[in-house]
């Protein structure tokens, strides 16, 4: 079964993007390539169970097994040794990517306390968007009783947009709840 946002992209978003961008070739229009979800676990140095909890939570949220990331070099100030586990990440593509984006937009972000929209200026200059979530407990798949330490996570939406304006328009058409700025009012 095709995810709801993937159908919306083909039927509604592509025609709107063609009109906004002024291009007729469907293959040159911006599209969502991947979603990377990263969770840094700084407390994994003291206790290994925090890393296991983070891997378990990320696998429940993303629907696939995350990769454990390791430190590239030693930093004495952080009590960090080269090769020690410091986080986990997962790269979503295809149907899992669209399903995760749908859950993020419609369920998880509205559950954030005092949510007034996400920053429309968190683009990297190439149309990719970065979003930080302070607690992974906003996802409905997570049972809060199973996790002793709530973690934050970083979500990167990788697009094929040429610039930030095209990427912003693509995500706005997907339904991303951008915060209204003074310029837009």
């Amino acid at each position: 079964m095709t995810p709801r946002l993937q159908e919306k992209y083909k039927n509604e978003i592509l025609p709107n993007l063609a009109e906004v961008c002024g291009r007729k070739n469907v293959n040159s229009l911006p599209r969502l390539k991947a979603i990377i979800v990263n969770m840094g676990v700084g407390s994994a140095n003291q206790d290994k169970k925090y890393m296991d909890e983070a891997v378990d939570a990320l696998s429940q949220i993303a629907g696939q097994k995350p990769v454990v990331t390791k430190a590239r070099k030693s930093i004495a100030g952080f009590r960090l040794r080269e090769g020690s586990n410091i986080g986990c990440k997962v790269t979503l593509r295809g149907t899992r990517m669209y399903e995760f984006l749908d859950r993020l937009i419609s369920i998880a972000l509205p559950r954030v306390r005092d949510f007034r929209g996400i920053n429309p200026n968190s683009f990297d200059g190439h149309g990719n968007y970065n979003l930080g979530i302070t607690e992974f407990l906003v996802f409905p798949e997570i049972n809060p009783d199973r996790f002793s330490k709530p973690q934050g996570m970083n979500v990167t939406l990788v697009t094929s947009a040429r610039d930030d304006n095209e990427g912003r328009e693509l995500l706005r058409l997907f339904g991303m709840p951008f915060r209204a700025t003074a310029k837009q009012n």
Side-chain angles (χ1 to χ4, degrees):
M1 194 165 110
T2 308
R4 183 178 67 91
L5 282 184
Q6 192 170 8
E7 290 286 329
K8 182 178 180 180
Y9 177 73
K10 289 178 185 175
N11 298 331
E12 298 173 26
I13 296 175
L14 276 178
N16 288 342
L17 280 175
E19 186 178 309
V20 170
C21 296
R23 296 193 295 259
K24 292 182 181 178
N25 187 352
V26 176
N27 295 324
S28 71
L29 295 174
R31 63 181 173 85
L32 197 59
K33 287 179 162 180
I35 296 178
I36 301 163
V37 184
N38 180 27
M39 191 180 293
V41 187
S43 56
N45 287 344
Q46 286 81 18
D47 198 353
K48 190 181 178 202
K49 76 171 187 171
Y50 293 130
M51 179 60 73
D52 296 336
E53 284 182 1
V55 168
D56 183 39
L58 197 55
S59 64
Q60 287 179 22
I61 291 169
Q64 68 185 46
K65 188 174 183 222
V67 175
V68 175
T69 56
K70 299 185 180 293
R72 291 185 195 152
K73 59 184 192 178
S74 300
I75 302 172
F78 295 129
R79 296 181 181 156
L80 185 66
R81 291 195 173 145
E82 182 178 349
S84 61
N85 296 339
I86 58 170
C88 54
K89 70 175 183 175
V90 65
T91 303
L92 302 170
R93 290 185 170 86
T95 56
R96 283 194 180 136
M97 172 184 69
Y98 285 108
E99 289 171 357
F100 175 81
L101 183 64
D102 195 11
R103 282 185 288 125
L104 178 73
I105 292 171
S106 60
I107 299 171
L109 287 178
R111 290 179 71 179
V112 173
R113 184 176 298 167
D114 297 331
F115 182 70
R116 292 185 181 90
I118 58 175
N119 187 359
N121 299 322
S122 294
F123 286 89
D124 65 350
H126 302 287
N128 304 320
Y129 187 78
N130 289 301
L131 166 71
I133 299 175
T134 55
E135 286 187 350
F136 62 73
L137 298 175
V138 296
F139 286 94
E141 302 89 17
I142 300 296
N143 181 3
D145 299 333
R146 289 191 53 211
F147 300 99
S148 59
K149 186 177 178 189
Q151 286 282 125
M153 59 196 311
N154 183 25
V155 179
T156 303
L157 304 168
V158 181
T159 67
S160 65
R162 295 179 180 172
D163 58 3
D164 290 347
N165 292 330
E166 286 185 3
R168 190 176 295 112
E169 185 64 24
L170 173 69
L171 295 181
R172 188 187 65 75
L173 290 172
F174 269 121
M176 191 68 82
F178 287 115
R179 184 180 329 138
T181 59
K183 294 177 191 174
Q184 293 176 346
N185 287 338

